[in-house]
Amino acid sequence: MLTARSSAEAHLYMDLHACECGSVDFERRHRLEQQGDEIVSVYEGACRQCGTTRRFAFRTAAEIPPPLPAFGGSRPSQIIDPGEFADVAFRISESVGVELLNTPESEHHKLRNAVAYALAAFEEIPKFIPSGENAVPESAFTSEAGRARYRREPRNFERGILDMNIRRTRAVLAGIDEAGGPDEAGGADEGPGGAAPDA
């Protein structure tokens, strides 16, 4: 069974695994089930595009989930590989970067949740680096998308590059916080329906 360290990780996993029709959009009704000695988190609902019933069940990790938008604690994910986290982080960062350049500073607070989500994804990647090593090993890439990104950009998974991306994203987030904005902008979340926030 899949083990999710947090609800954010469970939702991202579902976002990364589309229905056969290609859509990831389904009404995610959530419930907890007792299965033997374990509490299992179940998400179920109909695909909004084709009507197929989709169901995901996740074993709850032993660690207490971190505050949103973090995906997990110190241990790496068991269900999302570093290439998939990189895809999410870079996609959101690039989109937000364009938005920041094209909106007045007074509106930057509207992008805070997206930047915080991208930062959380970036911060997951170094967790896959073994102790004493300086890069994510190729064996950590278990998904088709993750392996494809590693083949395209292997240097992006070296510790120095990863640390640079994390510092840059933290700086963008700090800039948004310094600019300020309405109170409701604070507190990053998972985005509508559990998906990554729209940039």
Side-chain angles (χ1 to χ4, degrees):
M1 183 182 293
L2 302 169
T3 299
R5 298 168 298 162
S6 65
S7 62
E9 183 170 57
H11 281 292
L12 178 55
Y13 180 88
M14 291 184 283
D15 291 339
L16 294 171
H17 292 78
C19 177
E20 290 183 359
C21 71
S23 174
V24 298
D25 187 17
F26 72 101
E27 184 182 354
R28 297 174 183 180
R29 295 189 300 274
H30 176 250
R31 67 179 183 275
L32 297 176
E33 293 183 357
Q34 182 81 40
Q35 295 187 9
D37 295 330
E38 296 181 324
I39 300 294
V40 177
S41 192
V42 178
Y43 296 86
E44 190 170 20
C47 172
R48 296 188 192 276
Q49 182 163 294
C50 71
T52 298
T53 298
R54 308 201 69 210
R55 183 181 188 276
F56 294 85
F58 299 92
R59 179 188 294 112
T60 303
E63 289 182 303
I64 296 174
L68 291 173
F71 295 99
S74 60
R75 296 177 181 273
S77 176
Q78 298 179 44
I79 59 176
I80 300 170
D81 79 12
E84 291 174 308
F85 279 120
D87 278 345
V88 170
F90 281 112
R91 174 177 54 81
I92 295 175
S93 294
E94 290 165 5
S95 177
V96 167
V98 172
E99 289 291 322
L100 288 171
L101 289 172
N102 289 283
T103 56
E105 191 175 89
S106 61
E107 298 294 308
H108 286 183
H109 64 271
K110 296 178 180 179
L111 299 167
R112 189 190 192 283
N113 287 354
V115 175
Y117 194 91
L119 175 60
F122 273 129
E123 290 176 334
E124 285 299 315
I125 305 170
K127 297 177 186 180
F128 291 89
I129 300 177
S131 178
E133 301 293 329
N134 290 311
V136 179
E138 186 173 358
S139 60
F141 299 86
T142 55
S143 70
E144 184 176 339
R147 287 191 293 267
R149 178 166 281 273
Y150 180 76
R151 287 193 297 268
R152 292 195 308 271
E153 303 166 350
R155 289 204 61 222
N156 279 347
F157 297 95
E158 296 176 1
R159 189 181 296 278
I161 301 293
L162 293 170
D163 289 346
M164 180 185 68
N165 287 329
I166 290 170
R167 286 195 304 270
R168 285 178 174 174
T169 310
R170 285 177 179 166
V172 172
L173 191 62
I176 291 173
D177 288 341
E178 286 176 11
D183 292 339
E184 62 267 21
D189 59 22
E190 300 165 35
D198 294 330

